[in-house]
Amino acid sequence: MADFRLTADDAGQPAGLIARAKLGDLDAFDQIMRLHQKQVLMTALRLLGNMEDAQDAAQEAFLRLYKSMNRLPDVLEMKSWLYRVTVNICNDVHRQRGRRKTEPLTGSPGSEPASRHPDPEKAWSETERGQLVEMALKTLPEKERAAVVLRDVQGLSTREVAEILGSSEVTVRSQISVARGKLKKFTDRYLRKRL
């Protein structure tokens, strides 16, 4: 077994947390979860469209991470692995459960509801914009939706998205380009109908 000797400075860093979690330190695993919780939940929420399924998917992703900690050698691999597992779980949820009633995707979990916004016109436009994004994302095939959410919403690099999705960078660029075009067409049609 490897000898993980950590200094006090190393123990709180992501690599140190992984090393401690591999040794069975539940507090370290809890810190890892807190570091990645928002990104995993927001990815799942954008892919699934409702908070209940997103929370279930995030919980399952962290359960799988806990079971697989000893196989993940470093921070970058763990992050990619966690996103890949989250996307796969979301795809499984789509196939198994179908769609539940979706919630508007405005703001982040725990953020102030749009109805409490100081400017009602701005709050309405933010709510409507979130609903439009949600509707548009639902029109995309799984792979395109995952690619555009990881790249444009989560801000990952094309290389990271390709690694997570098990694709080439060229394929991911193509999926994102096609997805952006479809999203633009959808939103343009929607806005024209409103006028």
Side-chain angles (χ1 to χ4, degrees):
M1 183 165 162
D3 182 21
F4 292 105
R5 296 183 197 276
L6 302 174
T7 67
D9 292 337
D10 292 338
Q13 299 302 315
L17 290 174
I18 291 174
R20 287 177 38 217
K22 285 180 178 184
L23 294 172
D25 185 334
L26 294 178
D27 288 333
F29 185 78
D30 187 55
Q31 288 178 48
I32 291 169
M33 280 181 40
R34 280 185 272 153
L35 283 172
H36 298 282
Q37 178 177 343
K38 184 176 179 182
Q39 294 88 351
V40 168
L41 184 59
M42 289 308 297
T43 299
L45 183 57
R46 289 290 181 179
L47 292 173
L48 295 172
N50 73 72
M51 185 58 79
E52 185 178 344
D53 283 344
Q55 289 172 331
D56 289 347
Q59 182 177 0
E60 178 64 22
F62 284 114
L63 179 63
R64 290 184 190 181
L65 175 64
Y66 180 76
K67 290 178 179 179
S68 301
M69 276 308 289
N70 288 325
R71 295 191 308 242
L72 302 173
D74 62 32
V75 175
L76 292 177
E77 184 172 320
M78 186 198 71
K79 182 179 173 185
S80 294
W81 184 92
L82 190 55
Y83 274 115
R84 183 172 43 254
V85 166
T86 301
V87 169
N88 290 341
I89 291 168
C90 291
N91 290 340
D92 291 344
V93 169
H94 274 292
R95 286 188 287 273
Q96 292 171 1
R97 295 185 188 171
R99 290 218 179 246
R100 290 187 182 165
K101 186 176 185 319
T102 58
E103 304 163 7
L105 297 176
T106 57
S108 59
S111 67
E112 184 176 299
S115 62
R116 294 188 193 159
H117 199 284
D119 180 357
E121 281 186 27
K122 189 172 181 182
W124 172 249
S125 67
E126 287 176 9
T127 299
E128 192 172 49
R129 190 177 13 224
Q131 291 170 342
L132 180 57
V133 167
E134 176 189 333
M135 289 186 300
L137 284 171
K138 280 195 246 178
T139 66
L140 298 175
E142 286 178 357
K143 288 185 178 188
E144 289 174 11
R145 183 174 53 248
V148 82
V149 166
L150 291 170
R151 180 71 177 101
D152 292 346
V153 177
Q154 294 301 335
L156 300 177
S157 70
T158 303
R159 182 187 54 75
E160 289 172 314
V161 174
E163 184 178 316
I164 290 165
L165 299 179
S167 299
S168 70
E169 289 184 47
V170 172
T171 300
V172 168
R173 281 190 199 98
S174 174
Q175 289 170 332
I176 291 169
S177 178
V178 169
R180 287 174 180 163
K182 289 178 181 177
L183 292 171
K184 182 171 180 1
K185 282 181 185 176
F186 180 89
T187 56
D188 288 348
R189 272 194 317 264
Y190 178 83
L191 293 173
R192 271 196 302 270
K193 287 180 184 177
R194 298 274 331 258
L195 296 177

